[in-house]
Amino acid sequence: MPAETGAYRASQIGGDFAGYASLQSFIDYMAGKHGFSREYLYGVFSQAKRKQWTLDYLRKSDQSLKSPPGKGSWSRYRAKFLDERHINSGVAFWQKHKHTLERASRQYGVPAEYILGIMAVETTFGSFVGKDRILDALTTLAFDYQRRGDYFRAELENFLVMTRNEHLDPVQPVGSYAGAMGLGQFMPGSFLEWAVDFNGDGRRDLWNPEDSIGSIANYFAQHGWQAGQPVIAGIQGKPSSLDDLQHGLSAAYSPGQLQQRGVVPSKNCGCDGPLRLLLLRHQHGDEYLIGFPNFYVITRYNQSTHYAMAVHELAQAIKLKSAALAAN
């Protein structure tokens, strides 16, 4: 078993989380399941700070989730990412890490532009990886965010296992307000399962561009990315029955089921499905698209049609500009 990292020892929990019976139970669980010393975890959690801002922000976000997407919602979301800053940063990152991206594409079958699309949306290629300590974020959400407390307690468990395995001081790493880490913003559970040491230095370091490139590519491959297959397509003609079909990620159709309703993709994915009917609400009107299995793979990173579309469009824009520069 790897050694615990950091000189943290205490006889009880102090600081912002002193007196939390649920945290005491969690420490007992970590000691029993993973062999952590209680005194070590008392010392670690005595360093944790409660993030009230995060709780307030997520409660507001929870309220907005209950509302259906309004007119222009995709236009507003798209404008946050499809700009010169994201595209130019992607082109520069591709030029700098060309050989690593090519190696990842060969090994995992994932085009370089989609690896870049993830980094563009998540952190603009590392320009903002977050400023909250992971320990603070996950401890706050594990024990004070009722709606998803079980999820964040599991991620806190994963984080402590990860830091011990990788010989990291658990108080030091910083990331997003929700505990995501590195250029690709992996949660600790994703790190344990899909992060790779792509530069061969013996460590998995998601703040390192090479390890991040390999890890994102591996994530896509392990979630079913189909090499050489398209991501989305338009719809031929103007079927009259679109409003009768369920759109979004939860409804899956075979090509035959859509064809029976007059919904035919403008390109053939060469697959039996499952296909998703996507609704994008522009300022000037609504647009329906077909999401192929590779589109669904992108949504395994973030379960949002808008997110996956932003990744897809940025991937294409970065690829197009990179090709244009190479041709000149």
Side-chain angles (χ1 to χ4, degrees):
M1 186 180 296
E4 295 164 344
T5 307
Y8 302 108
R9 292 290 184 275
S11 59
Q12 61 184 3
I13 306 166
D16 288 0
F17 292 94
Y20 274 59
S22 53
L23 177 53
Q24 178 63 59
S25 297
F26 177 80
I27 289 173
D28 292 341
Y29 165 80
M30 294 296 293
K33 181 175 180 180
H34 298 290
F36 283 93
S37 95
R38 287 176 174 81
E39 291 74 18
Y40 172 75
L41 292 181
Y42 292 156
V44 168
F45 284 111
S46 294
Q47 309 299 313
K49 302 297 183 183
R50 187 176 182 275
K51 308 291 286 187
Q52 184 61 46
W53 177 90
T54 300
L55 295 168
D56 294 341
Y57 176 80
L58 286 176
R59 287 184 183 117
K60 289 180 182 178
S61 297
D62 290 345
Q63 291 299 317
S64 66
L65 288 175
K66 299 175 183 178
S67 304
K71 178 183 177 182
S73 57
W74 165 237
S75 297
R76 290 188 293 274
Y77 187 93
R78 184 182 186 277
K80 297 176 185 177
F81 300 106
L82 268 293
D83 57 24
E84 290 301 309
R85 180 171 70 93
H86 285 87
I87 295 167
N88 291 338
S89 296
V91 172
F93 190 92
W94 198 337
Q95 291 173 334
K96 185 175 181 180
H97 299 284
K98 181 175 183 288
H99 296 300
T100 303
L101 286 160
E102 288 175 349
R103 182 161 61 92
S105 294
R106 286 195 305 271
Q107 182 168 333
Y108 296 106
V110 179
E113 62 266 25
Y114 285 96
I115 301 170
L116 296 170
I118 291 289
M119 288 187 181
V121 173
E122 292 290 350
T123 64
T124 320
F125 306 96
S127 65
F128 186 72
V129 296
K131 55 184 176 52
D132 291 293
R133 294 193 307 181
I134 306 295
L135 178 69
D136 297 340
L138 292 179
T139 306
T140 297
L141 294 171
F143 302 107
D144 277 327
Y145 183 41
Q146 186 172 0
R147 187 174 77 83
R148 300 190 69 195
D150 289 346
Y151 168 77
F152 284 107
R153 279 189 293 277
E155 290 296 352
L156 181 58
E157 175 184 356
N158 293 330
F159 175 70
L160 291 170
V161 171
M162 180 200 89
T163 54
R164 186 173 67 179
N165 289 350
E166 300 296 324
H167 308 291
L168 295 173
D169 183 332
V171 174
Q172 297 303 318
V174 297
S176 80
Y177 65 86
M181 304 174 294
L183 276 70
Q185 295 287 276
F186 275 35
M187 292 297 287
S190 293
F191 179 99
L192 290 177
E193 196 154 1
W194 296 297
V196 297
D197 172 19
F198 206 56
N199 64 2
D201 68 353
R203 296 181 60 238
R204 295 182 290 174
D205 179 1
L206 295 183
W207 291 267
N208 174 278
E210 289 183 90
D211 284 359
S212 291
I213 288 167
S215 297
I216 293 168
N218 183 50
Y219 188 101
F220 273 26
Q222 296 299 325
H223 283 80
W225 184 270
Q226 299 175 13
Q229 294 298 318
V231 174
I232 62 165
I235 295 172
Q236 293 183 10
K238 293 185 178 180
S240 59
S241 58
L242 286 174
D243 291 340
D244 299 328
L245 290 169
Q246 185 177 348
H247 59 81
L249 303 178
S250 59
Y253 302 95
S254 69
Q257 286 174 318
L258 289 179
Q259 192 166 7
Q260 287 175 1
R261 306 295 291 270
V263 180
V264 179
S266 60
K267 69 173 74 168
N268 184 4
C269 74
C271 61
D272 295 327
L275 309 180
R276 267 80 184 178
L277 182 65
L278 311 175
L279 171 62
L280 300 178
R281 305 210 66 189
H282 298 264
Q283 292 288 2
H284 56 75
D286 293 343
E287 177 187 17
Y288 285 95
L289 297 169
I290 300 295
F292 294 134
N294 279 348
F295 182 87
Y296 188 71
V297 170
I298 300 174
T299 69
R300 299 309 84 201
Y301 214 97
N302 183 312
Q303 297 181 38
S304 161
T305 295
H306 284 174
Y307 176 92
M309 279 301 304
V311 169
H312 170 71
E313 291 202 7
L314 273 168
Q316 297 307 308
I318 292 168
K319 179 181 179 182
L320 184 65
K321 189 158 190 177
S322 294
L325 289 175
N328 292 333

PDB file of all heavy atoms in Angstrom, residues 303-318:
ATOM      1  N   GLN A 303     -23.007  15.460 -19.860  1.00  0.00           N
ATOM      2  CA  GLN A 303     -24.285  15.018 -20.404  1.00  0.00           C
ATOM      3  C   GLN A 303     -25.154  16.209 -20.825  1.00  0.00           C
ATOM      4  O   GLN A 303     -26.187  16.498 -20.227  1.00  0.00           O
ATOM      5  CB  GLN A 303     -25.014  14.134 -19.387  1.00  0.00           C
ATOM      6  CG  GLN A 303     -24.237  12.857 -19.092  1.00  0.00           C
ATOM      7  CD  GLN A 303     -24.942  11.958 -18.104  1.00  0.00           C
ATOM      8  OE1 GLN A 303     -26.161  11.827 -18.116  1.00  0.00           O
ATOM      9  NE2 GLN A 303     -24.189  11.337 -17.223  1.00  0.00           N
ATOM     10  N   SER A 304     -24.708  16.863 -21.877  1.00  0.00           N
ATOM     11  CA  SER A 304     -25.380  18.055 -22.374  1.00  0.00           C
ATOM     12  C   SER A 304     -25.251  18.106 -23.891  1.00  0.00           C
ATOM     13  O   SER A 304     -24.137  18.008 -24.421  1.00  0.00           O
ATOM     14  CB  SER A 304     -24.753  19.309 -21.749  1.00  0.00           C
ATOM     15  OG  SER A 304     -25.047  20.463 -22.498  1.00  0.00           O
ATOM     16  N   THR A 305     -26.372  18.278 -24.571  1.00  0.00           N
ATOM     17  CA  THR A 305     -26.339  18.451 -26.019  1.00  0.00           C
ATOM     18  C   THR A 305     -25.541  19.693 -26.393  1.00  0.00           C
ATOM     19  O   THR A 305     -24.730  19.671 -27.331  1.00  0.00           O
ATOM     20  CB  THR A 305     -27.773  18.565 -26.564  1.00  0.00           C
ATOM     21  OG1 THR A 305     -28.463  17.326 -26.345  1.00  0.00           O
ATOM     22  CG2 THR A 305     -27.770  18.870 -28.061  1.00  0.00           C
ATOM     23  N   HIS A 306     -25.748  20.781 -25.665  1.00  0.00           N
ATOM     24  CA  HIS A 306     -25.016  22.018 -25.958  1.00  0.00           C
ATOM     25  C   HIS A 306     -23.513  21.812 -25.805  1.00  0.00           C
ATOM     26  O   HIS A 306     -22.725  22.273 -26.643  1.00  0.00           O
ATOM     27  CB  HIS A 306     -25.473  23.137 -25.019  1.00  0.00           C
ATOM     28  CG  HIS A 306     -26.801  23.719 -25.385  1.00  0.00           C
ATOM     29  ND1 HIS A 306     -27.446  24.650 -24.599  1.00  0.00           N
ATOM     30  CD2 HIS A 306     -27.614  23.501 -26.447  1.00  0.00           C
ATOM     31  CE1 HIS A 306     -28.600  24.986 -25.168  1.00  0.00           C
ATOM     32  NE2 HIS A 306     -28.714  24.303 -26.288  1.00  0.00           N
ATOM     33  N   TYR A 307     -23.110  21.152 -24.743  1.00  0.00           N
ATOM     34  CA  TYR A 307     -21.678  20.900 -24.513  1.00  0.00           C
ATOM     35  C   TYR A 307     -21.081  20.123 -25.679  1.00  0.00           C
ATOM     36  O   TYR A 307     -20.038  20.507 -26.231  1.00  0.00           O
ATOM     37  CB  TYR A 307     -21.503  20.122 -23.206  1.00  0.00           C
ATOM     38  CG  TYR A 307     -20.073  19.722 -22.920  1.00  0.00           C
ATOM     39  CD1 TYR A 307     -19.239  20.538 -22.165  1.00  0.00           C
ATOM     40  CD2 TYR A 307     -19.549  18.530 -23.411  1.00  0.00           C
ATOM     41  CE1 TYR A 307     -17.922  20.179 -21.908  1.00  0.00           C
ATOM     42  CE2 TYR A 307     -18.230  18.163 -23.163  1.00  0.00           C
ATOM     43  CZ  TYR A 307     -17.431  18.987 -22.415  1.00  0.00           C
ATOM     44  OH  TYR A 307     -16.129  18.631 -22.169  1.00  0.00           O
ATOM     45  N   ALA A 308     -21.715  19.021 -26.049  1.00  0.00           N
ATOM     46  CA  ALA A 308     -21.168  18.178 -27.119  1.00  0.00           C
ATOM     47  C   ALA A 308     -21.146  18.914 -28.450  1.00  0.00           C
ATOM     48  O   ALA A 308     -20.207  18.745 -29.247  1.00  0.00           O
ATOM     49  CB  ALA A 308     -21.972  16.884 -27.235  1.00  0.00           C
ATOM     50  N   MET A 309     -22.147  19.737 -28.714  1.00  0.00           N
ATOM     51  CA  MET A 309     -22.152  20.508 -29.954  1.00  0.00           C
ATOM     52  C   MET A 309     -21.028  21.539 -29.959  1.00  0.00           C
ATOM     53  O   MET A 309     -20.389  21.779 -30.996  1.00  0.00           O
ATOM     54  CB  MET A 309     -23.497  21.205 -30.141  1.00  0.00           C
ATOM     55  CG  MET A 309     -24.588  20.311 -30.715  1.00  0.00           C
ATOM     56  SD  MET A 309     -24.181  19.616 -32.341  1.00  0.00           S
ATOM     57  CE  MET A 309     -23.856  21.100 -33.295  1.00  0.00           C
ATOM     58  N   ALA A 310     -20.765  22.162 -28.798  1.00  0.00           N
ATOM     59  CA  ALA A 310     -19.666  23.131 -28.728  1.00  0.00           C
ATOM     60  C   ALA A 310     -18.329  22.433 -28.976  1.00  0.00           C
ATOM     61  O   ALA A 310     -17.471  22.950 -29.695  1.00  0.00           O
ATOM     62  CB  ALA A 310     -19.664  23.829 -27.371  1.00  0.00           C
ATOM     63  N   VAL A 311     -18.137  21.241 -28.399  1.00  0.00           N
ATOM     64  CA  VAL A 311     -16.915  20.476 -28.639  1.00  0.00           C
ATOM     65  C   VAL A 311     -16.786  20.148 -30.127  1.00  0.00           C
ATOM     66  O   VAL A 311     -15.717  20.312 -30.732  1.00  0.00           O
ATOM     67  CB  VAL A 311     -16.907  19.185 -27.797  1.00  0.00           C
ATOM     68  CG1 VAL A 311     -15.777  18.243 -28.240  1.00  0.00           C
ATOM     69  CG2 VAL A 311     -16.770  19.506 -26.309  1.00  0.00           C
ATOM     70  N   HIS A 312     -17.886  19.694 -30.731  1.00  0.00           N
ATOM     71  CA  HIS A 312     -17.860  19.327 -32.150  1.00  0.00           C
ATOM     72  C   HIS A 312     -17.538  20.537 -33.034  1.00  0.00           C
ATOM     73  O   HIS A 312     -16.669  20.457 -33.914  1.00  0.00           O
ATOM     74  CB  HIS A 312     -19.210  18.742 -32.546  1.00  0.00           C
ATOM     75  CG  HIS A 312     -19.370  18.559 -34.024  1.00  0.00           C
ATOM     76  ND1 HIS A 312     -18.694  17.593 -34.739  1.00  0.00           N
ATOM     77  CD2 HIS A 312     -20.118  19.248 -34.938  1.00  0.00           C
ATOM     78  CE1 HIS A 312     -19.023  17.677 -36.018  1.00  0.00           C
ATOM     79  NE2 HIS A 312     -19.872  18.669 -36.164  1.00  0.00           N
ATOM     80  N   GLU A 313     -18.209  21.639 -32.815  1.00  0.00           N
ATOM     81  CA  GLU A 313     -17.993  22.803 -33.678  1.00  0.00           C
ATOM     82  C   GLU A 313     -16.605  23.401 -33.480  1.00  0.00           C
ATOM     83  O   GLU A 313     -15.969  23.850 -34.449  1.00  0.00           O
ATOM     84  CB  GLU A 313     -19.094  23.843 -33.443  1.00  0.00           C
ATOM     85  CG  GLU A 313     -20.462  23.387 -33.946  1.00  0.00           C
ATOM     86  CD  GLU A 313     -21.408  24.544 -34.204  1.00  0.00           C
ATOM     87  OE1 GLU A 313     -20.975  25.720 -34.115  1.00  0.00           O
ATOM     88  OE2 GLU A 313     -22.589  24.275 -34.489  1.00  0.00           O
ATOM     89  N   LEU A 314     -16.116  23.415 -32.244  1.00  0.00           N
ATOM     90  CA  LEU A 314     -14.752  23.892 -32.020  1.00  0.00           C
ATOM     91  C   LEU A 314     -13.742  22.963 -32.678  1.00  0.00           C
ATOM     92  O   LEU A 314     -12.759  23.434 -33.269  1.00  0.00           O
ATOM     93  CB  LEU A 314     -14.471  23.989 -30.521  1.00  0.00           C
ATOM     94  CG  LEU A 314     -14.876  25.303 -29.860  1.00  0.00           C
ATOM     95  CD1 LEU A 314     -14.816  25.180 -28.353  1.00  0.00           C
ATOM     96  CD2 LEU A 314     -13.973  26.448 -30.330  1.00  0.00           C
ATOM     97  N   ALA A 315     -13.972  21.658 -32.599  1.00  0.00           N
ATOM     98  CA  ALA A 315     -13.072  20.699 -33.246  1.00  0.00           C
ATOM     99  C   ALA A 315     -12.968  20.996 -34.736  1.00  0.00           C
ATOM    100  O   ALA A 315     -11.866  21.047 -35.301  1.00  0.00           O
ATOM    101  CB  ALA A 315     -13.574  19.274 -33.013  1.00  0.00           C
ATOM    102  N   GLN A 316     -14.110  21.225 -35.371  1.00  0.00           N
ATOM    103  CA  GLN A 316     -14.107  21.482 -36.806  1.00  0.00           C
ATOM    104  C   GLN A 316     -13.467  22.829 -37.134  1.00  0.00           C
ATOM    105  O   GLN A 316     -12.724  22.957 -38.126  1.00  0.00           O
ATOM    106  CB  GLN A 316     -15.541  21.421 -37.345  1.00  0.00           C
ATOM    107  CG  GLN A 316     -16.192  20.051 -37.202  1.00  0.00           C
ATOM    108  CD  GLN A 316     -15.350  18.950 -37.803  1.00  0.00           C
ATOM    109  OE1 GLN A 316     -14.930  19.016 -38.958  1.00  0.00           O
ATOM    110  NE2 GLN A 316     -15.085  17.913 -37.014  1.00  0.00           N
ATOM    111  N   ALA A 317     -13.726  23.839 -36.309  1.00  0.00           N
ATOM    112  CA  ALA A 317     -13.161  25.166 -36.564  1.00  0.00           C
ATOM    113  C   ALA A 317     -11.638  25.162 -36.385  1.00  0.00           C
ATOM    114  O   ALA A 317     -10.906  25.779 -37.178  1.00  0.00           O
ATOM    115  CB  ALA A 317     -13.799  26.189 -35.621  1.00  0.00           C
ATOM    116  N   ILE A 318     -11.148  24.477 -35.353  1.00  0.00           N
ATOM    117  CA  ILE A 318      -9.707  24.394 -35.124  1.00  0.00           C
ATOM    118  C   ILE A 318      -9.038  23.616 -36.248  1.00  0.00           C
ATOM    119  O   ILE A 318      -7.975  24.009 -36.755  1.00  0.00           O
ATOM    120  CB  ILE A 318      -9.430  23.743 -33.751  1.00  0.00           C
ATOM    121  CG1 ILE A 318      -9.894  24.666 -32.622  1.00  0.00           C
ATOM    122  CG2 ILE A 318      -7.943  23.412 -33.600  1.00  0.00           C
ATOM    123  CD1 ILE A 318      -9.943  24.008 -31.253  1.00  0.00           C
TER     124      ILE A 318
END
